[in-house]
Amino acid sequence: MRTKISTFAVIFLCVCASVSAQQSATPQASGEQTAGKPKPEETELWQPVPEVVTSGVDCNAPPSDAIVLFDGKNLDEWVSSKDKSPAQWTVANGVITVNKSAGNIETKRQFRDYQLHIEWRVPANITGSGQARGNSGVFLAATGTEDGGYELQVLDSYKNETYVNGMAGSIYKQAIPLANASRKPGEWQTYDVAWTAPMFNSDGSLKSPAYVTALFNGVLVQNHFELKGETRYIGQPYYKSHGPAPIMLQAHGDPSQPISFRNIWVRELK
Ligand code: MG
């Protein structure tokens, strides 16, 4: 069975809180058990035992089993989406800044299902309006198609009107975010995402769709949303068969000042 929302909820809700031990069921008095009646032990599971994962020092720091995709130092985990050459975005002061002329960048690694943490910042002096104001995007799986894959939109949506299925926290042109949790330009913002990749049959037909759950600055904006296909700029979404895929960051062609990213890590889900 694929990973479901209940698992995601546990992941997200537990990261910042100190986790109290689960209360053990109160044993029933022996006199309450009678032959043939169900026993509490019959519904207890003891396997598989979850792996021990040490959480980060805060909810933004990578847990012990995370793959760190950017730790503030270099773009060693990233390549140009165009030709897979070394990524040419700017790294300075622990931050990646989009180089629009260099095009999109993507991870060298390919993923299926995962939990992703990524932080982004719109420049304080951002200009423009609508979709031409801090536009970027996190492609949760880069498929190499014209539209790129499945985009979780990045945009300045702090008092910046645009179509609502294209604002920050949207699955571009498919899912309106459940809330607008945008911070002001100049402030760092977070996405925490649980991604379930689509699966395809050997003949290329869809076996199971993609699902996404996303928190934007800790606020739930996508709740186990079932994608209808890749996110398309023009026309209706549809799927095209693919396997494990990189995560891609968008160098959008709008003329506004480029946005920045930091602290990017991923946990593969088995
Ligand atoms: Mg975008």
Side-chain angles (χ1 to χ4, degrees):
M1 187 175 172
R2 310 301 303 273
T3 306
K4 295 298 183 189
I5 181 60
S6 56
T7 306
F8 302 152
V10 169
I11 291 168
F12 290 130
L13 295 177
C14 289
V15 287
C16 295
S18 59
V19 181
S20 59
Q22 188 178 2
Q23 291 185 336
S24 56
T26 305
Q28 287 184 279
S30 58
E32 294 175 12
Q33 295 287 350
T34 55
K37 281 200 166 182
K39 297 175 180 169
E41 294 82 359
E42 293 170 3
T43 47
E44 293 176 358
L45 295 178
W46 290 74
Q47 296 286 338
V49 178
E51 278 180 41
V52 173
V53 175
T54 307
S55 64
V57 290
D58 60 50
C59 55
N60 294 330
S64 57
D65 63 346
I67 298 168
V68 176
L69 297 174
F70 179 66
D71 65 358
K73 295 183 182 131
N74 58 58
L75 288 170
D76 288 357
E77 289 283 341
W78 300 83
V79 292
S80 160
S81 297
K82 252 186 315 201
D83 55 11
K84 315 306 177 198
S85 63
Q88 297 296 324
W89 288 12
T90 305
V91 177
N93 303 317
V95 171
I96 304 172
T97 298
V98 177
N99 175 357
K100 295 194 182 208
S101 62
N104 300 341
I105 65 170
E106 64 187 38
T107 56
K108 290 178 181 174
R109 300 173 196 256
Q110 299 188 323
F111 302 98
R112 289 204 58 82
D113 304 345
Y114 60 76
Q115 173 191 353
L116 172 70
H117 175 87
I118 186 165
E119 302 178 16
W120 53 275
R121 182 180 63 187
V122 173
N125 62 345
I126 191 76
T127 57
S129 63
Q131 292 289 304
R133 187 177 170 89
N135 198 328
S136 182
V138 180
F139 282 77
L140 302 168
T143 58
T145 60
E146 186 182 349
D147 288 287
Y150 313 89
E151 183 183 11
L152 171 59
Q153 174 71 308
V154 170
L155 188 76
D156 176 24
S157 289
Y158 184 82
K159 300 181 179 175
N160 174 35
E161 190 176 13
T162 186
Y163 45 93
V164 293
N165 58 355
M167 60 191 290
S170 67
I171 299 302
Y172 186 70
K173 288 192 171 175
Q174 285 195 43
I176 302 165
L178 301 173
N180 183 356
S182 298
R183 293 175 179 156
K184 290 179 185 174
E187 296 184 16
W188 283 100
Q189 319 207 51
T190 62
Y191 279 157
D192 286 284
V193 182
W195 171 250
T196 302
M199 295 183 72
F200 297 89
N201 297 305
S202 54
D203 65 358
S205 60
L206 184 68
K207 186 174 180 185
S208 59
Y211 293 93
V212 64
T213 294
L215 287 89
F216 180 18
N217 297 328
V219 176
L220 186 68
V221 291
Q222 299 294 340
N223 186 5
H224 198 55
F225 174 72
E226 178 184 324
L227 279 81
K228 300 172 187 70
E230 295 187 25
T231 50
R232 311 253 172 216
Y233 180 47
I234 298 171
Q236 296 304 310
Y238 59 90
Y239 281 102
K240 193 173 174 189
S241 177
H242 64 84
I247 296 167
M248 184 171 77
L249 303 180
Q250 184 183 41
H252 194 275
D254 81 68
S256 68
Q257 295 84 339
I259 76 157
S260 298
F261 294 92
R262 72 177 184 187
N263 192 20
I264 309 170
W265 51 264
V266 64
R267 294 181 60 242
E268 293 183 293
L269 303 177
K270 295 156 188 145

